[in-house]
PDB file of all heavy atoms in Angstrom:
ATOM      1  N   SER A  22      20.744  13.553 -17.881  1.00 92.00           N
ATOM      2  CA  SER A  22      20.947  13.649 -19.331  1.00 92.00           C
ATOM      3  C   SER A  22      21.671  14.949 -19.688  1.00 92.00           C
ATOM      4  O   SER A  22      22.390  15.017 -20.677  1.00 92.00           O
ATOM      5  CB  SER A  22      19.614  13.559 -20.069  1.00 92.00           C
ATOM      6  OG  SER A  22      18.892  14.768 -19.921  1.00 92.00           O
ATOM      7  N   PHE A  34      38.504  10.655 -18.637  1.00 91.00           N
ATOM      8  CA  PHE A  34      39.782  11.234 -19.068  1.00 91.00           C
ATOM      9  C   PHE A  34      40.407  12.198 -18.066  1.00 91.00           C
ATOM     10  O   PHE A  34      41.533  12.630 -18.251  1.00 91.00           O
ATOM     11  CB  PHE A  34      39.614  11.903 -20.434  1.00 91.00           C
ATOM     12  CG  PHE A  34      39.166  10.936 -21.482  1.00 91.00           C
ATOM     13  CD1 PHE A  34      37.872  10.961 -21.973  1.00 91.00           C
ATOM     14  CD2 PHE A  34      40.030   9.951 -21.938  1.00 91.00           C
ATOM     15  CE1 PHE A  34      37.450  10.043 -22.918  1.00 91.00           C
ATOM     16  CE2 PHE A  34      39.619   9.027 -22.881  1.00 91.00           C
ATOM     17  CZ  PHE A  34      38.329   9.067 -23.375  1.00 91.00           C
ATOM     18  N   ILE A 141      69.385  42.372 -30.073  1.00 83.00           N
ATOM     19  CA  ILE A 141      69.319  43.818 -29.864  1.00 83.00           C
ATOM     20  C   ILE A 141      69.518  44.206 -28.407  1.00 83.00           C
ATOM     21  O   ILE A 141      70.004  45.285 -28.122  1.00 83.00           O
ATOM     22  CB  ILE A 141      68.005  44.456 -30.397  1.00 83.00           C
ATOM     23  CG1 ILE A 141      66.782  43.698 -29.909  1.00 83.00           C
ATOM     24  CG2 ILE A 141      68.034  44.583 -31.886  1.00 83.00           C
ATOM     25  CD1 ILE A 141      65.487  44.418 -30.266  1.00 83.00           C
ATOM     26  N   MET A 179      51.932  39.178 -17.811  1.00 92.00           N
ATOM     27  CA  MET A 179      51.480  40.295 -16.964  1.00 92.00           C
ATOM     28  C   MET A 179      50.166  40.902 -17.450  1.00 92.00           C
ATOM     29  O   MET A 179      49.390  41.415 -16.644  1.00 92.00           O
ATOM     30  CB  MET A 179      52.565  41.362 -16.831  1.00 92.00           C
ATOM     31  CG  MET A 179      52.999  42.016 -18.094  1.00 92.00           C
ATOM     32  SD  MET A 179      54.468  43.013 -17.698  1.00 92.00           S
ATOM     33  CE  MET A 179      54.699  43.904 -19.184  1.00 92.00           C
ATOM     34  N   PHE A 226      44.283  37.049  -4.492  1.00 85.00           N
ATOM     35  CA  PHE A 226      43.907  36.117  -5.548  1.00 85.00           C
ATOM     36  C   PHE A 226      45.007  36.018  -6.613  1.00 85.00           C
ATOM     37  O   PHE A 226      45.380  34.923  -7.043  1.00 85.00           O
ATOM     38  CB  PHE A 226      42.587  36.589  -6.170  1.00 85.00           C
ATOM     39  CG  PHE A 226      42.162  35.758  -7.330  1.00 85.00           C
ATOM     40  CD1 PHE A 226      41.607  34.509  -7.129  1.00 85.00           C
ATOM     41  CD2 PHE A 226      42.306  36.224  -8.628  1.00 85.00           C
ATOM     42  CE1 PHE A 226      41.203  33.732  -8.193  1.00 85.00           C
ATOM     43  CE2 PHE A 226      41.911  35.446  -9.702  1.00 85.00           C
ATOM     44  CZ  PHE A 226      41.364  34.201  -9.487  1.00 85.00           C
TER      45      PHE A 226
ATOM     46  N   MET B  26      55.958  46.039 -24.960  1.00 90.00           N
ATOM     47  CA  MET B  26      54.958  45.102 -25.446  1.00 90.00           C
ATOM     48  C   MET B  26      55.056  44.886 -26.945  1.00 90.00           C
ATOM     49  O   MET B  26      54.808  43.796 -27.446  1.00 90.00           O
ATOM     50  CB  MET B  26      53.557  45.610 -25.086  1.00 90.00           C
ATOM     51  CG  MET B  26      53.253  45.501 -23.624  1.00 90.00           C
ATOM     52  SD  MET B  26      53.443  43.797 -23.123  1.00 90.00           S
ATOM     53  CE  MET B  26      53.264  43.907 -21.384  1.00 90.00           C
ATOM     54  N   ILE B  49      69.733  48.329 -36.539  1.00 76.00           N
ATOM     55  CA  ILE B  49      68.612  47.526 -37.031  1.00 76.00           C
ATOM     56  C   ILE B  49      67.840  48.292 -38.100  1.00 76.00           C
ATOM     57  O   ILE B  49      67.527  49.467 -37.938  1.00 76.00           O
ATOM     58  CB  ILE B  49      67.658  47.193 -35.877  1.00 76.00           C
ATOM     59  CG1 ILE B  49      68.401  46.453 -34.781  1.00 76.00           C
ATOM     60  CG2 ILE B  49      66.485  46.369 -36.354  1.00 76.00           C
ATOM     61  CD1 ILE B  49      67.710  46.502 -33.451  1.00 76.00           C
ATOM     62  N   LYS B 105      19.378  14.030  -7.389  1.00 89.00           N
ATOM     63  CA  LYS B 105      20.129  13.230  -6.442  1.00 89.00           C
ATOM     64  C   LYS B 105      21.626  13.307  -6.746  1.00 89.00           C
ATOM     65  O   LYS B 105      22.013  13.339  -7.908  1.00 89.00           O
ATOM     66  CB  LYS B 105      19.666  11.775  -6.556  1.00 89.00           C
ATOM     67  CG  LYS B 105      19.479  11.103  -5.211  1.00 89.00           C
ATOM     68  CD  LYS B 105      18.910   9.722  -5.386  1.00 89.00           C
ATOM     69  CE  LYS B 105      19.088   8.912  -4.124  1.00 89.00           C
ATOM     70  NZ  LYS B 105      18.651   7.536  -4.293  1.00 89.00           N
ATOM     71  N   GLN B 129      47.423   9.607 -17.546  1.00 91.00           N
ATOM     72  CA  GLN B 129      46.469   9.846 -18.634  1.00 91.00           C
ATOM     73  C   GLN B 129      47.032   9.318 -19.955  1.00 91.00           C
ATOM     74  O   GLN B 129      46.322   8.690 -20.736  1.00 91.00           O
ATOM     75  CB  GLN B 129      46.205  11.346 -18.743  1.00 91.00           C
ATOM     76  CG  GLN B 129      45.013  11.693 -19.595  1.00 91.00           C
ATOM     77  CD  GLN B 129      44.824  13.190 -19.689  1.00 91.00           C
ATOM     78  OE1 GLN B 129      45.777  13.939 -19.889  1.00 91.00           O
ATOM     79  NE2 GLN B 129      43.592  13.637 -19.549  1.00 91.00           N
ATOM     80  N   TYR B 182      14.785  21.012 -21.755  1.00 92.00           N
ATOM     81  CA  TYR B 182      15.655  21.186 -22.931  1.00 92.00           C
ATOM     82  C   TYR B 182      15.318  22.468 -23.682  1.00 92.00           C
ATOM     83  O   TYR B 182      16.204  23.173 -24.156  1.00 92.00           O
ATOM     84  CB  TYR B 182      15.539  19.971 -23.858  1.00 92.00           C
ATOM     85  CG  TYR B 182      15.818  18.667 -23.161  1.00 92.00           C
ATOM     86  CD1 TYR B 182      14.794  17.825 -22.773  1.00 92.00           C
ATOM     87  CD2 TYR B 182      17.130  18.296 -22.847  1.00 92.00           C
ATOM     88  CE1 TYR B 182      15.042  16.646 -22.102  1.00 92.00           C
ATOM     89  CE2 TYR B 182      17.391  17.123 -22.175  1.00 92.00           C
ATOM     90  CZ  TYR B 182      16.351  16.294 -21.795  1.00 92.00           C
ATOM     91  OH  TYR B 182      16.618  15.139 -21.124  1.00 92.00           O
ATOM     92  N   GLY B 275      37.562  35.613 -12.775  1.00 52.00           N
ATOM     93  CA  GLY B 275      38.805  35.749 -12.027  1.00 52.00           C
ATOM     94  C   GLY B 275      38.544  36.140 -10.587  1.00 52.00           C
ATOM     95  O   GLY B 275      39.059  35.533  -9.666  1.00 52.00           O
TER      96      GLY B 275
END
Side-chain angles (χ1 to χ4, degrees):
Chain A
S22 74
F34 300 107
I141 49 172
M179 61 190 189
F226 176 76
Chain B
M26 288 303 173
I49 302 160
K105 223 175 164 185
Q129 194 181 45
Y182 305 102

